[in-house]
Amino acid sequence: MQIEQKEQLSSLMDGEFTHDHIVDEVSHNESLQSCWHRYHIVRDTMRGELHSSSLTLDISNQIAQAIASEDLYNPLTDQPNINATALPKAENLIWIHLKDFFVKVSQVGLAACVTLGIIAGVQYQQSQTDNVNGTPTLNTVPVGVNIAPVGGIHQQNDQQLLEKRQYDKIRLLVQDYELQKRLNAH
């Protein structure tokens, strides 16, 4: 019956339904009144005549009903019963602690064995290879990088200093040539 009433309500809004009994039903039925209101909002929205002042969203009744129907003090069924739980025995606690101790000791022992194997392998490899180029087997310095001595003292020999000065002179000459070329071009 509710679907027929909504169809009649929609027809009344479109001007196709002329019976007065639907008007009486709307005036007495709250759900039909809210439906009538929603239909008007939809119609105004489709016509572009909806103003923000006409929209009111009042959900306080639904929230109040949801809060009232909620059971605040429901018992938790997943919680263990205090009387049903048994305390572990003292001899079991000792075994649990011993097991934890042996697990930790075995982990440290495994790490020590791996480290010993790596060190022994590198030393064996270094003794077997004859270093023609002088680089160690386990090189921790990237190739092509000069390392400054500890303490921040940077020592350069005279040859490197001379090469740097010559490079700077050539760079300045090229810059001067480019500047002269630009000035003469204009």
Side-chain angles (χ1 to χ4, degrees), residues 105-142:
V105 167
S106 64
Q107 288 174 349
V108 171
L110 180 65
C113 289
V114 169
T115 305
L116 180 66
I118 290 172
I119 291 172
V122 168
Q123 287 181 347
Y124 177 76
Q125 183 71 20
Q126 283 179 347
S127 68
Q128 293 296 322
T129 59
D130 52 350
N131 290 332
V132 177
N133 57 1
T135 59
T137 303
L138 186 61
N139 192 5
T140 58
V141 179

Side-chain angles (χ1 to χ4, degrees), residues 141-167:
V141 179
V143 177
V145 175
N146 293 333
I147 300 174
V150 176
I153 302 169
H154 189 33
Q155 299 173 351
Q156 292 183 340
N157 59 16
D158 292 332
Q159 181 66 26
Q160 287 176 339
L161 190 58
L162 183 63
E163 287 176 2
K164 185 175 187 259
R165 285 184 183 161
Q166 287 176 349
Y167 176 75

Side-chain angles (χ1 to χ4, degrees), residues 47-62:
R47 289 182 181 172
E49 302 171 352
L50 184 67
H51 299 291
S52 62
S53 62
S54 65
L55 277 180
T56 57
L57 182 63
D58 185 20
I59 58 170
S60 60
N61 290 336
Q62 290 94 354

